[in-house]
Amino acid sequence: MITIRKELFEDIDAIRQINEEAFGQSLEADIVDALRVDCVEFLSFVAEVDGKVVGYILFTPVLIETDGEGIEGAGLAPMAVLPEYQRQGVGSMLVEEGLRFLQETGCPFVVVLGHAHYYPRFGFEPASRYDIRSEWAVPDDSFMIMIFDESQFSGISGVARYRPEFSE
Ligand SMILES: CC(C)(COP(=O)(O)OP(=O)(O)OC[C@H]1O[C@@H](n2cnc3c(N)ncnc32)[C@H](O)[C@@H]1OP(=O)(O)O)[C@@H](O)C(=O)NCCC(=O)NCCS
């Protein structure tokens, strides 16, 4: 059985290992550890299968800069599932639980930079449809957005900025 719950202190080593194994490098694990220290709005969930932590998802603040004021939502990154547990629905449950939580708590939007084949199934669409761009040079269809509150989006367009830890 797959269970999704918030990250706890005792999950930290397992989360590092999941990110390292899923991505095959330590970059994403390092970013997560740096954000855990400094990012107050750090929102993360783990997936457990039979009591073992096998999947991870993180949401951190993203600011869309517009003329005048900006609008703050969330960015999904990174997400990872241990290779031997992939393609069993674990990643989907992590995304769905994270989005449900963010919508319920009033977050206006979520952006993701990722596989254009994977994220549209959850309702993500290319951010370029709203004239919202990534701060990095990435393929148009890989930078996606889910807008929960359209009313806050009138006149909003511009560059979506993640926490600086993602660029360092
Ligand atoms: C992406 C990831 C988190 C998905 O987790 P998961 O538990 O396998 O996901 P689910 O079982 O819910 O969904 C499986 C789907 O993901 C798709 N998928 C997995 N990896 C993919 C990839 N690299 N590119 C495109 N699609 C991918 C599969 O094709 C499958 O799609 P299907 O249902 O049409 O066959 C996992 O594959 C992973 O950890 N990958 C390595 C790290 C990574 O790339 N993270 C995402 C960064 S945006």
Side-chain angles (χ1 to χ4, degrees):
M1 191 176 109
I2 305 169
T3 312
I4 309 295
R5 60 167 175 79
K6 289 254 188 87
E7 170 187 330
L8 299 173
F9 179 76
E10 52 265 38
D11 300 322
I12 289 176
D13 289 347
I15 290 167
R16 194 167 171 91
Q17 194 179 348
I18 291 165
N19 281 312
E20 286 182 346
E21 283 197 31
F23 288 101
Q25 58 180 24
S26 61
L27 175 68
E28 291 77 8
D30 291 344
I31 292 171
V32 170
D33 285 345
L35 285 160
R36 197 181 275 113
V37 172
D38 274 341
C39 177
V40 177
E41 304 94 334
F42 187 94
L43 174 67
S44 58
F45 298 88
V46 296
E48 274 184 348
V49 173
D50 300 329
K52 179 179 160 81
V53 176
V54 303
Y56 182 68
I57 194 165
L58 174 62
F59 299 90
T60 54
V62 163
L63 181 71
I64 298 176
E65 295 172 338
T66 56
D67 295 342
E69 56 193 276
I71 180 171
E72 188 175 292
L76 186 174
M79 165 161 87
V81 173
L82 282 176
E84 61 270 34
Y85 288 89
Q86 290 178 9
R87 304 201 171 207
Q88 297 167 36
V90 175
S92 296
M93 284 186 66
L94 282 164
V95 175
E96 283 161 6
E97 178 60 18
L99 295 178
R100 189 192 61 73
F101 183 92
L102 286 163
Q103 185 168 21
E104 278 181 14
T105 52
C107 179
F109 70 87
V110 180
V111 288
V112 65
L113 174 58
H115 310 301
H117 163 77
Y118 186 61
Y119 292 98
R121 70 187 68 186
F122 307 106
F124 283 95
E125 50 186 332
S128 58
R129 281 190 197 156
Y130 299 89
D131 200 15
I132 291 163
R133 299 176 302 283
S134 170
E135 63 197 286
W136 303 292
V138 294
D140 185 76
D141 62 351
S142 67
F143 190 60
M144 292 163 270
I145 191 165
M146 166 126 33
I147 295 176
F148 292 131
D149 187 352
E150 294 265 357
S151 69
Q152 290 194 46
F153 263 78
S154 84
I156 298 285
S157 64
V159 177
R161 294 207 183 276
Y162 284 67
R163 291 269 315 189
E165 288 84 347
F166 285 99
S167 301
E168 283 164 2

